[in-house]
């Protein structure tokens, strides 16, 4: 619980760190909270900590005063860290359950601020678990189509094998994408290659028109299993013809 409290005060996905709050301030709070002679409750300490402070508003500026809702947001954050809803196989089926058992007599809404069962009332738990739909919206994930061979429209190529460098300079593309592009052309490029050398290797291969290596294309499972490239990167970096169902 102390680690969770420290994480909440430090800022995370569930609650931001208070504006201009330093690590030393948080460490001092934790020391006071753990002091055997401390007689203040956690809520009182949190309220005292937030007094006069503000939430961040972005762009390095101060936002709304924090003392009005700081205690509640910290408790909600800690609740999500401890009792986040997860999908688990229970009694032969899939169910939404808390990450750890809820405190006795407590309901979902009291510890995390909402009831996930209500959220899933109109969504398929099995499809969310199988990553067929987005659990937040219930909508199907968009499919990322694979490119067609520019010289043979009946041939489907693996992601990363075709990149149009006129859309984005080589020097701005992520390393994994450049390594994958080289792999499909049979160009040696160890992962330990410096970024400068990697960019130069891709530039030289592109200038000479290094062709695709058929043997590498057929071994795409070995190359892509450990390669993760965002859909945006793929779609922005290629003007190839895309198939409709990848």
């Amino acid at each position: 619980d102390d680690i969770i409290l420290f994480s909440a005060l430090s800022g995370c996905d569930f609650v931001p760190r208070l504006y201009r709050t330093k690590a030393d301030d948080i460490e001092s709070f934790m020391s006071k909270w753990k002091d055997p002679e401390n007689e203040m409750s956690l809520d009182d300490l949190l309220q005292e900590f937030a007094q006069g402070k503000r939430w961040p508003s972005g762009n390095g500026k101060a936002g709304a005063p924090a003392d009005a809702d700081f205690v509640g947001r910290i408790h909600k954050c800690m609740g999500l860290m401890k009792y986040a809803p997860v999908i688990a196989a229970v009694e032969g089926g899939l169910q939404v359950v808390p990450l750890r058992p809820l405190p006795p007599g407590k309901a979902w809404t009291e510890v995390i601020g909402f009831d996930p069962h209500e959220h899933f009332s109109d969504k398929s738990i099995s499809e969310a678990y199988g990553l067929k739909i987005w659990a937040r919206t219930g909508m199907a994930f968009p499919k990322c189509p694979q490119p067609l061979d520019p010289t043979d429209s009946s041939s489907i190529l693996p992601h990363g094998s075709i990149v149009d460098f006129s859309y984005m300079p080589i020097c701005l593309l992520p390393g994994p994408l450049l390594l994958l592009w080289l792999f499909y052309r049979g160009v040696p490029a160890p992962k330990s290659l410096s970024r400068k050398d990697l960019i130069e290797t891709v530039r030289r291969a592109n200038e000479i028109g290094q062709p695709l290596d058929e043997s590498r294309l057929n071994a795409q499972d070995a190359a892509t299993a450990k390669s993760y490239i965002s859909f945006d990167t793929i779609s922005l970096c290629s003007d190839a013809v895309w198939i409709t169902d990848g």
Side-chain angles (χ1 to χ4, degrees):
D1 285 357
D2 292 338
I3 293 176
I4 291 175
L5 174 58
F6 184 86
S7 300
L9 294 172
S10 299
C12 61
D13 289 347
F14 304 129
V15 63
R17 182 189 296 199
L18 292 180
Y19 181 68
R20 289 186 174 176
T21 296
K22 300 179 180 179
D24 290 345
D25 300 330
I26 300 171
E27 291 174 3
S28 296
F29 175 92
M30 295 301 299
S31 296
K32 188 172 183 179
W33 166 238
K34 300 303 294 181
D35 187 343
E37 298 183 2
N38 170 57
E39 297 181 354
M40 295 178 66
S41 67
L42 176 58
D43 284 4
D44 288 341
L45 284 172
L46 289 171
Q47 191 64 50
E48 180 183 73
F49 184 76
Q51 195 66 37
K53 292 186 173 65
R54 290 179 172 270
W55 295 107
S57 66
N59 298 320
K61 297 181 179 179
D67 50 6
D69 59 352
F70 182 71
V71 177
R73 292 184 66 174
I74 290 296
H75 278 297
K76 181 179 178 180
C77 173
M78 294 175 65
L80 285 166
M81 289 184 179
K82 292 192 289 185
Y83 309 110
V86 296
I87 299 176
V90 180
E91 298 179 356
L94 295 174
Q95 295 183 17
V96 177
V97 299
L99 186 61
R100 63 174 74 176
L102 294 174
K106 293 288 186 178
W108 280 106
T109 53
E110 296 177 83
V111 293
I112 65 173
F114 68 96
D115 186 345
H117 291 126
E118 293 181 2
H119 175 77
F120 275 98
S121 62
D122 59 347
K123 301 175 183 66
S124 170
I125 295 177
S126 61
E127 289 186 345
Y129 183 79
L131 298 181
K132 294 181 179 179
I133 64 171
W134 190 14
R136 177 176 293 180
T137 64
M139 298 179 64
F141 284 112
K143 294 182 178 179
C144 184
Q146 293 174 252
L148 300 178
D149 189 331
T151 62
D152 180 7
S153 61
S154 65
S155 177
I156 300 173
L157 298 176
H159 291 305
S161 60
I162 300 294
V163 177
D164 188 339
F165 296 120
S166 65
Y167 274 70
M168 185 77 75
I170 297 173
C171 61
L172 297 182
L173 292 171
L177 176 58
L178 297 180
L179 288 170
L180 204 56
W181 187 88
L182 290 173
F183 171 86
Y184 287 125
R185 284 160 179 75
V187 179
K191 290 185 178 181
S192 59
L193 198 65
S194 70
R195 178 161 181 82
K196 179 180 179 180
D197 291 339
L198 174 60
I199 291 172
E200 184 58 30
T201 301
V202 173
R203 181 176 287 112
R204 287 198 303 267
N206 185 53
E207 287 176 351
I208 66 175
Q210 185 75 25
L212 292 167
D213 185 326
E214 290 295 332
S215 63
R216 293 292 180 92
L217 293 176
N218 295 330
Q220 59 178 292
D221 57 337
T224 59
K226 296 181 180 178
S227 301
Y228 301 89
I229 302 173
S230 72
F231 178 84
D232 287 341
T233 299
I234 295 173
S235 60
L236 285 173
C237 295
S238 178
D239 61 356
V241 178
W242 301 96
I243 60 175
T244 57
D245 187 358

